[in-house]
Amino acid sequence: DQQVKQNSPSLSVQEGRISILNCDYTNSMFDYFLWYKKYPAEGPTFLISISSIKDKNEDGRFTVFLNKSAKHLSLHIVPSQPGDSAVYFCAASGRGSQGNLIFGKGTKLSVKP
Amino acid sequence: DTGVSQNPRHKITKRGQNVTFRCDPISEHNRLYWYRQTLGQGPEFLTYFQNEAQLEKSRLLSDRFSAERPKGSFSTLEIQRTEQGDSAMYLCASSLVGGYYEQYFGPGTRLTVT
């Protein structure tokens, strides 16, 4: 059973518009959430994170929203750029996990010029 | 470059052979993690070290897999008697200890078992 789910395998967005990537989790012990971006043949690159004491965190064009009651988080990219085209992974960790991350299967974002 | 480095980047081996991968973490990071990623999946946790101590191992880490971090710096992951199912990207990550710290990943080692 998947504890972190990214239900959209792919997303296509026009350059300049907003990209919204979604992630759901099932384990209520998770208290730290991260988004990673991955290009082919490279390791995941850390983008942004949020702890469960917050409901929003911003870093430039990237904003992560956390809805604890719904066990849902989302990554907003505004404005989207062609260089943002990559696979985005949602990851979570929690108390007692010693910090190892549980990843979703990823969403492939394509930003079209 | 002070990021996480992994060697080799690619390894092709025949079934039944042993392989060893190396990971050099970011120098001030005490924690080092190994993950495995197969096609269409996110990275899956294998094991992690805090300094030289191996503190947790996943059920994915069969008896054929062994990892070491002898001096609390670089780490090696060895797979003995490789099987075709071991073909995957092996990723190493490192982080600081305690609280909420992001993990930084290396470029990975792509293993192909023929």
Side-chain angles (χ1 to χ4, degrees):
Chain A
D1 61 329
Q2 271 211 296
Q3 298 186 70
V4 177
K5 299 177 184 178
Q6 294 177 257
N7 291 320
S8 298
S10 63
L11 175 67
S12 183
V13 171
Q14 206 66 33
E15 181 179 6
R17 305 296 292 267
I18 185 171
S19 296
I20 300 176
L21 297 106
N22 293 303
C23 178
D24 297 293
Y25 62 95
T26 58
N27 190 337
S28 57
M29 295 294 286
F30 288 151
D31 61 356
Y32 184 49
F33 304 89
L34 308 91
W35 284 94
Y36 285 84
K37 178 169 77 172
K38 187 177 184 304
Y39 294 117
E42 294 184 12
T45 301
F46 170 72
L47 272 178
I48 192 169
S49 62
I50 188 168
S51 72
S52 59
I53 60 174
K54 294 185 172 182
D55 53 20
K56 177 182 175 182
N57 189 26
E58 270 183 277
D59 184 0
R61 296 185 299 113
F62 302 92
T63 302
V64 56
F65 295 91
L66 176 62
N67 182 333
K68 288 185 290 294
S69 60
K71 295 192 178 67
H72 176 83
L73 63 155
S74 60
L75 174 68
H76 292 209
I77 307 174
V78 185
S80 302
Q81 300 172 354
D84 296 328
S85 298
V87 178
Y88 288 77
F89 290 98
C90 171
S93 71
R95 287 179 288 272
S97 73
Q98 301 285 344
N100 55 286
L101 298 175
I102 310 297
F103 283 83
K105 291 188 175 184
T107 296
K108 184 176 182 180
L109 174 65
S110 299
V111 180
K112 301 191 181 306
Chain B
D1 186 10
T2 57
V4 178
S5 62
Q6 292 187 246
N7 287 289
R9 293 292 307 274
H10 304 276
K11 178 72 177 178
I12 300 174
T13 191
K14 292 186 176 179
R15 189 176 53 191
Q17 298 294 305
N18 300 344
V19 294
T20 300
F21 311 139
R22 176 178 169 130
C23 171
D24 288 88
I26 294 171
S27 58
E28 61 266 30
H29 286 180
N30 308 88
R31 283 197 175 164
L32 186 150
Y33 303 80
W34 286 99
Y35 292 83
R36 181 174 70 184
Q37 185 176 20
T38 53
L39 198 62
Q41 303 293 320
E44 295 173 292
F45 169 74
L46 292 177
T47 187
Y48 94 96
F49 294 83
Q50 184 162 309
N51 300 314
E52 65 275 9
Q54 188 174 16
L55 296 186
E56 189 176 350
K57 289 195 271 189
S58 159
R59 289 174 298 172
L60 292 176
L61 211 68
S62 77
D63 293 344
R64 297 183 297 105
F65 288 69
S66 62
E68 293 183 344
R69 194 183 182 196
K71 296 182 180 178
S73 56
F74 73 91
S75 175
T76 58
L77 177 68
E78 181 184 16
I79 309 174
Q80 296 182 325
R81 304 181 305 281
T82 52
E83 301 173 355
Q84 286 188 320
D86 297 331
S87 296
M89 174 77 85
Y90 289 84
L91 294 161
C92 176
S94 69
S95 76
L96 294 169
V97 175
Y100 300 121
Y101 288 110
E102 56 272 15
Q103 295 179 21
Y104 291 91
F105 283 81
T109 295
R110 166 73 65 189
L111 172 66
T112 302
V113 182
T114 61

